[in-house]
Amino acid sequence: MNVQLTQNQPLVLIIDDDLTTQVLASRFLEKAGFRVLAATSGQEGLEVFEQSHPDIILLDVEMPEMDGFTVCKKLRAMHQGKNIPILMITALDDVESIDNAYGLGATDFATKPVNWAIMVYRVRYLLRSSMVVKALEASKVRLAKAQQIANMGNWDWDVVNKTIHWSDEIYRIFQVNPITVKFTRKKFFDLVHPNDRQQLKESFKAALLNPMPSNFDYRILLEDGSVRYLYHQAETTLSLDSSPIKISGTIQDISERKLAEEKIRLLAYYDSLTGLLNRLSFIDRLENVLAYSKRNNRIMAILFLDLDDFKRINDTLGHDRGDLLLKVVAKRLLEGTEASDALARRKVDDIQVNVARLGGDEFTVLLTEMNKIEDADQEAQRILKLLSEPISLEGHKVFVTPSIGISVYPYDGQDVSSLLKNADTAMYHAKKFGKGNCQFYAKSMNAHGFMRLSLERELRKALENDELLLDYQPIVDSRTEKVIGAEALLRWNNLNHGLVPPDEFISIAEGNGMIVEIGKWVLRSACMQNMVWQAAGFEAMQIAANLSSLQFRHYDLLDTIAAVLKESGLHPGYLVLELSEAMIMDNCEQTLSTLEKLKETGIKLSIDNFGTGYSSLSYLKRFPVDTLKIDKSFIIDLPDSRENAAITAAIITLAHGLNLDIIAEGVETLDQTTFLRKLNCDAMQGYLYGKPLSTKEFTKMLESNHRQLFNVVD
């Protein structure tokens, strides 16, 4: 609808160097019936003001050359600018900036981003207030009538005689009977809300020092406990010698306006049924997040949810229960995390999550501050799990599942429309796979990415499906070549993908934290198997198991070790924990404390892949470890490499100097064995003495060694 503007309609002057802000403001204000002029700098704004005499000014604070504070000060110094409403707009929201704005004579203060649909009402209110003030100055009769209509009263404080006069309307606003109660300044301040009282007192002090007009909002607490919102304006009158003699002002009850603003805000931003962000607000937030992601080269994701069979539930149980179901779903979408931003935002680790209801049974989840695409899948899996629980609707138990489509910026679109459309497309694709399913939009993941996500999902079920297993690689005495121990090596035999290489799934387990539970399983299984071999009559030997950094730093590590040893019955001396060199050198003091506590349990400690990190000798000699394992990268080209030969010799000498045992990893040739024996290496591990073997194969090897031993004895 085109709005026909006339010269009688209010003229708004916008002073802002941001052309986008000018365009948006002009569009909304002109549609609402205002005439609009715009200036792109403070100096231009002053010139336009003098020429056009606008009814109200919207003034940006942050402008080059002349900022909004300076412009406001200059406007108030002009005769025609004394009473014009000035609404200052800024991205700054600190109290100092607000105080500065009001101190220089701003009528009101708003922070960016601005909802211009609501700002129109604010502008209208400021103009209405301005007209009221003009009416007050024109006639006392009209003043009294205007005060009554506007819920506004006036007051005068005689600074010299220390007396104060309140109008009848102020007595009504404060619910004070002037006949029975002496309404002193102390009584006035006592009724002000404690959180606003000091600011109001400071404003009176400032008025004595600075004759500039002031205005702000504050709350009062009435005798019945109710709260009222007031709009306060004040101005100082000076004597001929510029001393303050009187402070006059108005107080307006704006409680209804505040309530209306809150209702408008809720209607504008939130879904009335669930309290989640609505479509308009979600798209607005999505646009802001997308702009941020583009500037900072970050990824973000949209999860588009549609409830399976919602129409059937709604038609069967009725729309009231259908609405109740939607409320429960909204609540569950926000479960398990720290809530903020009313009901529409939460946080998972460092990932910001915004939840919205677009309409009907469609919900969207916006993920920002993501580090990897897999974060979106984890959130989708969390939602699937939360919504899989039965929901009770006034005595009716129902099960509801969502179909979830995921689009990821920048892979699936560069704008809001594309990302939403592609997430919607992925959601319908998910429905084809059955209920309770999630699918990425195809372009967001290459084949490797899809495989990784698939592996992560199935890894979560690996423990309960008994898909994990251990191989054992023998460790032999260098002199006798007798098996004195074994290293337990984790394997995953997946039903769909077959044997998955450790370097593929262990990184996934470390990334999602599952390595802690998997590590517990490894320790328990290795200790149990060691006891099985001992019970079968084989000579007791040590079993080594690798600890991940997450497991090493986990709060229940010591309890886990104690529980495993107790459950298996294994003597602590036959369990070796292998720690990487990099792991133990991270936060050395904390590492030392943990190692000492582990050592107190009686288990053995070994530093794996030694020589590849940056160990501190001062810490190394303090660490209560038993063994160093020379990394295979130093062994592979022995004895030909003079450099690696020298490093290997130095490590063996160092270990023996610290009374530590030494194991060489990756031994594959007799020449390597001969060389290491000459250096008095204690033990060896590698394909020359046995590749990693399954439990059954390792048992056969032990049986073979056992028979050979008895044959020698016989």
Side-chain angles (χ1 to χ4, degrees):
M1 179 181 71
N2 293 324
V3 180
Q4 299 299 320
L5 302 180
T6 69
Q7 293 299 315
N8 294 327
Q9 290 169 305
L11 178 61
V12 180
L13 172 59
I14 302 171
I15 306 176
D16 196 314
D17 63 323
D18 185 356
L19 293 178
T20 302
T21 300
Q22 288 189 12
V23 170
L24 285 173
S26 298
R27 182 185 304 167
F28 280 89
L29 290 168
E30 288 175 352
K31 186 176 180 181
F34 295 94
R35 292 179 295 140
V36 179
L37 290 175
T40 57
S41 69
Q43 184 59 44
E44 182 185 1
L46 293 173
E47 294 171 359
V48 173
F49 171 77
E50 288 186 311
Q51 297 168 4
S52 60
H53 305 296
D55 299 293
I56 186 170
I57 298 174
L58 304 186
L59 176 59
D60 184 31
V61 170
E62 296 173 288
M63 294 186 294
E65 299 180 1
M66 184 186 298
D67 63 21
F69 296 126
T70 304
V71 175
C72 183
K73 184 177 180 180
K74 288 180 177 291
L75 285 169
R76 289 306 185 206
M78 299 178 183
H79 175 71
Q80 64 269 35
K82 181 180 178 182
N83 294 318
I84 186 170
I86 301 176
L87 175 58
M88 300 195 76
I89 303 173
T90 180
L92 305 173
D93 60 356
D94 56 288
V95 175
E96 184 178 351
S97 298
I98 296 173
D99 285 344
N100 193 18
Y102 287 139
L104 292 171
T107 309
D108 206 349
F109 191 94
T111 57
K112 296 180 179 179
V114 175
N115 186 317
W116 290 104
I118 295 177
M119 180 61 75
V120 168
Y121 293 92
R122 199 164 183 173
V123 169
R124 284 175 173 164
Y125 164 73
L126 290 175
L127 285 170
R128 185 165 65 248
S129 297
S130 177
M131 288 187 289
V132 170
V133 171
K134 291 177 182 178
L136 291 174
E137 294 174 344
S139 169
K140 287 186 178 182
V141 175
R142 293 174 60 194
L143 167 63
K145 187 175 182 180
Q147 286 182 338
Q148 186 177 10
I149 294 173
N151 288 326
M152 178 185 291
N154 70 293
W155 53 271
D156 291 293
W157 175 29
D158 188 328
V159 177
V160 178
N161 298 316
K162 301 186 183 305
T163 59
I164 192 164
H165 166 75
W166 312 98
S167 71
D168 293 341
E169 190 65 17
I170 287 185
Y171 285 112
R172 188 194 65 77
I173 291 173
F174 282 81
Q175 292 187 354
V176 172
N177 188 333
I179 299 175
T180 59
V181 178
K182 187 176 182 181
F183 196 38
T184 62
R185 287 183 71 244
K186 182 180 183 306
K187 177 66 175 177
F188 166 73
F189 282 118
D190 286 344
L191 290 175
V192 175
H193 194 286
N195 293 343
D196 301 337
R197 190 175 297 151
Q198 187 59 37
Q199 182 185 4
L200 185 59
K201 288 183 177 180
E202 293 297 329
S203 75
F204 275 96
K205 292 179 182 178
L208 295 173
L209 302 174
N210 185 358
M212 293 295 295
S214 63
N215 56 80
F216 52 87
D217 298 350
Y218 60 91
R219 293 161 293 174
I220 60 172
L221 288 173
L222 301 179
E223 297 291 345
D224 60 4
S226 61
V227 177
R228 280 187 178 175
Y229 290 84
L230 306 183
Y231 176 66
H232 177 103
Q233 288 183 305
E235 188 172 346
T236 304
T237 301
L238 303 179
S239 64
L240 294 177
D241 62 357
S242 298
S243 299
I245 57 175
K246 183 177 71 172
I247 301 177
S248 305
T250 60
I251 296 175
Q252 183 180 20
D253 184 351
I254 58 171
S255 301
E256 290 186 6
R257 191 200 84 188
K258 285 288 186 179
L259 291 174
E261 284 181 349
E262 180 62 17
K263 288 180 180 178
I264 292 171
R265 189 182 76 88
L266 289 173
L267 289 173
Y269 287 107
Y270 296 95
D271 174 54
S272 59
L273 178 65
T274 63
L276 299 177
L277 297 174
N278 61 17
R279 176 183 287 272
L280 179 65
S281 183
F282 179 79
I283 291 176
D284 179 64
R285 187 157 296 178
L286 179 55
E287 288 174 340
N288 292 331
V289 169
L290 183 58
Y292 172 83
S293 299
K294 288 181 178 180
R295 288 195 306 269
N296 296 279
N297 196 28
R298 301 301 299 269
I299 61 174
M300 52 166 276
I302 299 174
L303 278 60
F304 200 111
L305 285 72
D306 183 88
L307 301 183
D308 301 321
D309 295 331
F310 174 75
K311 185 177 185 304
R312 177 182 57 81
I313 296 172
N314 205 33
D315 292 344
T316 304
L317 300 181
H319 293 284
D320 289 343
R321 292 191 179 97
D323 287 348
L324 181 58
L325 173 61
L326 294 174
K327 291 181 181 179
V328 174
V329 169
K331 183 178 180 182
R332 289 192 180 181
L333 288 174
L334 294 163
E335 275 183 7
T337 54
E338 183 180 347
S340 63
D341 190 13
L343 292 175
R345 182 185 295 175
R346 54 186 175 75
K347 192 174 184 181
V348 183
D349 298 325
D350 292 326
I351 304 173
Q352 292 290 337
V353 182
N354 294 276
V355 184
R357 178 184 175 224
L358 299 190
D361 61 332
E362 292 182 341
F363 297 84
T364 49
V365 178
L366 174 62
L367 304 181
T368 61
E369 299 298 330
M370 292 167 51
N371 294 314
K372 54 187 183 301
I373 293 177
E374 288 88 338
D375 291 335
D377 183 66
Q378 288 183 16
E379 175 66 8
Q381 297 301 322
R382 188 193 73 85
I383 291 172
L384 289 172
K385 183 178 180 181
L386 280 174
L387 296 186
S388 66
E389 298 295 326
I391 297 175
S392 179
L393 301 177
E394 298 178 343
H396 296 270
K397 183 175 289 187
V398 300
F399 292 85
V400 63
T401 56
S403 292
I404 305 176
I406 305 173
S407 66
V408 180
Y409 169 82
Y411 310 106
D412 301 330
Q414 299 290 320
D415 56 71
V416 168
S417 177
S418 297
L419 289 168
L420 271 175
K421 182 187 71 174
N422 292 338
D424 189 24
T425 300
M427 182 271 293
Y428 281 104
H429 185 58
K431 282 187 176 294
K432 296 179 182 179
F433 286 84
K435 300 177 181 179
N437 195 287
C438 75
Q439 292 291 322
F440 278 84
Y441 187 73
K443 291 183 181 179
S444 64
M445 303 284 288
N446 56 27
H448 174 74
F450 275 119
M451 172 64 78
R452 183 178 176 88
L453 273 180
S454 176
L455 287 176
E456 182 168 356
R457 292 176 186 171
E458 295 179 32
L459 184 58
R460 296 178 185 276
K461 303 176 183 178
L463 280 174
E464 59 186 76
N465 291 343
D466 200 25
E467 295 178 358
L468 299 180
L469 50 91
L470 293 179
D471 281 354
Y472 298 90
Q473 186 171 29
I475 301 172
V476 302
D477 185 287
S478 296
R479 293 170 295 278
T480 66
E481 296 190 350
K482 174 185 174 182
V483 177
I484 58 174
E487 180 179 356
L489 300 168
L490 181 62
R491 301 289 186 261
W492 178 22
N493 189 16
N494 180 255
L495 295 175
N496 297 318
H497 303 287
L499 201 59
V500 183
D503 57 351
E504 288 190 16
F505 75 85
I506 288 179
S507 62
I508 295 175
E510 289 176 338
N512 61 21
M514 284 188 62
I515 195 67
V516 175
E517 287 303 313
I518 291 175
K520 291 179 181 180
W521 178 89
V522 170
L523 289 172
R524 185 180 300 107
S525 300
C527 290
M528 290 289 193
Q529 185 58 53
N530 199 345
M531 287 301 295
V532 169
W533 285 326
Q534 290 187 31
F538 301 124
E539 187 173 348
M541 63 179 179
Q542 293 179 336
I543 289 291
N546 290 278
L547 277 190
S548 72
S549 59
L550 278 178
Q551 203 174 1
F552 182 66
R553 306 293 178 196
H554 203 263
Y555 70 92
D556 70 346
L557 174 62
L558 293 170
D559 291 338
T560 296
I561 299 297
V564 165
L565 292 173
K566 182 178 180 181
E567 181 182 356
S568 65
L570 183 68
H571 187 280
Y574 294 126
L575 174 61
V576 181
L577 297 184
E578 292 192 357
L579 314 166
S580 72
E581 188 177 4
M583 184 195 309
I584 64 172
M585 294 311 300
D586 181 26
N587 193 348
C588 292
E589 290 298 329
Q590 182 62 44
T591 295
L592 178 60
S593 173
T594 303
L595 292 177
E596 287 174 343
K597 292 175 182 177
L598 286 171
K599 194 65 179 173
E600 289 173 1
T601 67
I603 64 175
K604 302 297 183 181
L605 300 173
S606 174
I607 299 180
D608 195 16
N609 306 122
F610 188 79
T612 58
Y614 299 92
S615 294
S616 166
L617 293 180
S618 62
Y619 275 103
L620 185 60
K621 67 182 181 181
R622 293 172 59 192
F623 289 157
V625 297
D626 303 282
T627 305
L628 298 184
K629 297 186 74 174
I630 307 174
D631 188 72
K632 63 182 179 181
S633 62
F634 301 115
I635 306 299
I636 192 169
D637 54 3
L638 290 179
D640 299 328
S641 171
R642 295 178 59 186
E643 182 180 14
N644 284 347
I647 293 174
T648 301
I651 293 175
I652 293 174
T653 301
L654 171 66
H656 289 160
L658 296 174
N659 294 318
L660 303 177
D661 291 329
I662 192 82
I663 299 175
E665 295 183 283
V667 178
E668 298 182 356
T669 68
L670 291 174
D671 287 343
Q672 293 169 351
T673 298
T674 301
F675 180 80
L676 291 167
R677 281 175 178 165
K678 289 179 180 179
L679 295 177
N680 294 319
C681 181
D682 300 305
M684 302 184 202
Q685 177 183 349
Y687 275 31
L688 181 64
Y689 298 103
K691 64 180 182 179
L693 303 171
S694 67
T695 302
K696 185 176 180 180
E697 292 171 330
F698 198 90
T699 302
K700 287 182 179 180
M701 184 200 70
L702 292 178
E703 290 172 345
S704 176
N705 292 347
H706 195 62
R707 285 195 299 271
Q708 291 176 12
L709 177 63
F710 275 94
N711 289 337
V712 171
V713 173
D714 292 341

